[in-house]
Amino acid sequence: MAKIIVVTSGKGGVGKTTTSAAIGTGLALRGYKTVVIDFDVGLRNLDLIMGCERRVVYDFINVIRNESNLNQSLIKDKRVENLYILPASQTQDKDTLDIDGVERVINELSESFDYIICDSPAGIEKGAFMAMYFADEAIVVTNPEVSSVRDSDRILGLLASKTARAVNSREPVKEHLLLTRYEPVRVEKGQMLSVEDVTDILAIPLLGVVPESPTVLNASNAGNPVILDPDSKAGQAYDDAVGRLLGEDLIHRFLEIEKKGFFQKIGLFRS
């Protein structure tokens, strides 16, 4: 039976789809058969970040409507064994999602996958509700700024009250915090919330801290999940987050201002 993980936040642009792609890829690299579902019906970005946009023929909505089956609709990643993508529709809207159809698809996927990653759209409308409803665990993605953290707190309220686990009085959804676009220099200057500020407000376990890095945008534009770049600090941070998700005890990196070496200070080498 698969473990269902929703990647969510209240605010757009914080890195949910980047995170879904990275976490899904990281789990597959560790040998777990993983599928990432794009719930952002009408926009559809996951296939771009995963580099498979030209291979989309059938989508999530087609499966829900029985216009295609999973074998026709799932896209197997060309780079990573055990990794699959179920893209969203670009021509429908989120109201075409229905709870019975989503449950049927997830139940069918659960028979053959170890992990189902649900990439949620921003906000608290129907698509986001559908993405979180069947979750066993949630990765709440937030930036270290007040409005993003406030919106994430709202999502925590929904996870505690509006999911299948809450409705059926089961063990609550296990929550994880992933802090993205973190810049220790700006934290020191008081321009950005610190890790401690965010964890104090949200009061959920810290899964990872992903530093601000141009490699994230470069990887997305190239259709490569950033976790596949082992030299990137962001890629390393996501790899650490996957390890912690699987129970590994790892220290958090990239929280402090990096001290420059002598040659960097005099400009002979550039980072």
Side-chain angles (χ1 to χ4, degrees):
M1 204 61 181
K3 183 169 287 186
I4 303 163
I5 301 175
V6 63
V7 178
T8 184
S9 76
K11 188 176 174 63
V14 299
K16 285 186 298 300
T17 302
T18 295
T19 297
S20 296
I23 296 294
T25 301
L27 288 168
L29 286 169
R30 284 166 166 76
Y32 296 97
K33 191 175 182 183
T34 304
V35 58
V36 189
I37 306 176
D38 190 349
F39 276 80
D40 202 355
V41 177
L43 292 178
R44 200 177 84 188
N45 290 314
L46 178 66
D47 56 306
L48 292 171
I49 288 179
M50 301 291 286
C52 62
E53 68 277 9
R54 289 187 294 274
R55 297 168 59 199
V56 177
V57 177
Y58 294 108
D59 56 53
F60 191 16
I61 298 299
N62 292 134
V63 181
I64 287 175
R65 291 178 170 175
N66 291 308
E67 296 166 349
S68 66
N69 59 42
L70 282 173
N71 187 57
Q72 293 173 290
S73 307
L74 286 171
I75 300 172
K76 189 178 188 304
D77 191 87
K78 291 182 176 180
R79 299 153 299 199
V80 181
E81 191 70 24
N82 296 318
L83 180 61
Y84 295 78
I85 299 95
L86 183 56
S89 171
Q90 249 181 335
T91 59
Q92 303 294 328
D93 60 47
K94 294 175 180 65
D95 288 334
T96 57
L97 291 169
D98 70 87
I99 200 76
D100 292 335
V102 172
E103 183 176 25
R104 177 175 56 81
V105 173
I106 285 180
N107 285 343
E108 189 174 345
L109 289 169
S110 293
E111 294 174 4
S112 55
F113 284 88
D114 299 309
Y115 283 92
I116 299 171
I117 309 298
C118 301
D119 180 28
S120 173
I124 54 174
E125 38 56 56
K126 189 172 183 180
F129 169 74
M130 293 287 180
M132 72 170 63
Y133 189 75
F134 297 102
D136 300 310
E137 302 190 24
I139 298 174
V140 180
V141 184
T142 189
N143 293 157
E145 49 99 10
V146 173
S147 64
S148 181
V149 174
R150 180 191 61 195
D151 290 347
S152 292
D153 205 22
R154 169 69 170 147
I155 291 297
L156 292 177
L158 295 176
L159 289 167
S161 60
K162 294 286 190 179
T163 59
R165 284 177 170 268
V167 171
N168 297 312
S169 300
R170 293 162 56 203
E171 186 177 341
V173 174
K174 186 176 181 180
E175 299 159 340
H176 309 274
L177 172 63
L178 188 79
L179 193 56
T180 56
R181 307 193 68 175
Y182 195 71
E183 295 183 81
V185 172
R186 293 187 62 196
V187 172
E188 188 175 81
K189 293 178 179 178
Q191 300 171 346
M192 181 177 280
L193 296 176
S194 68
V195 172
E196 292 76 16
D197 292 332
V198 178
T199 53
D200 284 349
I201 295 168
L202 297 180
I204 60 175
L206 182 64
L207 182 68
V209 178
V210 182
E212 178 70 88
S213 171
T215 59
V216 174
L217 180 59
N218 294 340
S220 296
N221 287 339
N224 292 313
V226 71
I227 197 170
L228 292 176
D229 181 358
D231 297 324
S232 160
K233 291 179 181 177
Q236 293 168 28
Y238 275 118
D239 189 64
D240 287 352
V242 173
R244 293 188 197 97
L245 192 66
L246 295 172
E248 297 174 22
D249 184 15
L250 303 172
I251 63 167
H252 289 279
R253 299 188 280 171
F254 316 119
L255 306 187
E256 308 295 334
I257 297 173
E258 186 178 0
K259 293 181 172 61
K260 291 186 177 181
F262 173 75
F263 291 110
Q264 285 179 305
K265 287 180 181 179
I266 63 176
L268 293 180
F269 293 97
R270 299 185 183 276
S271 58

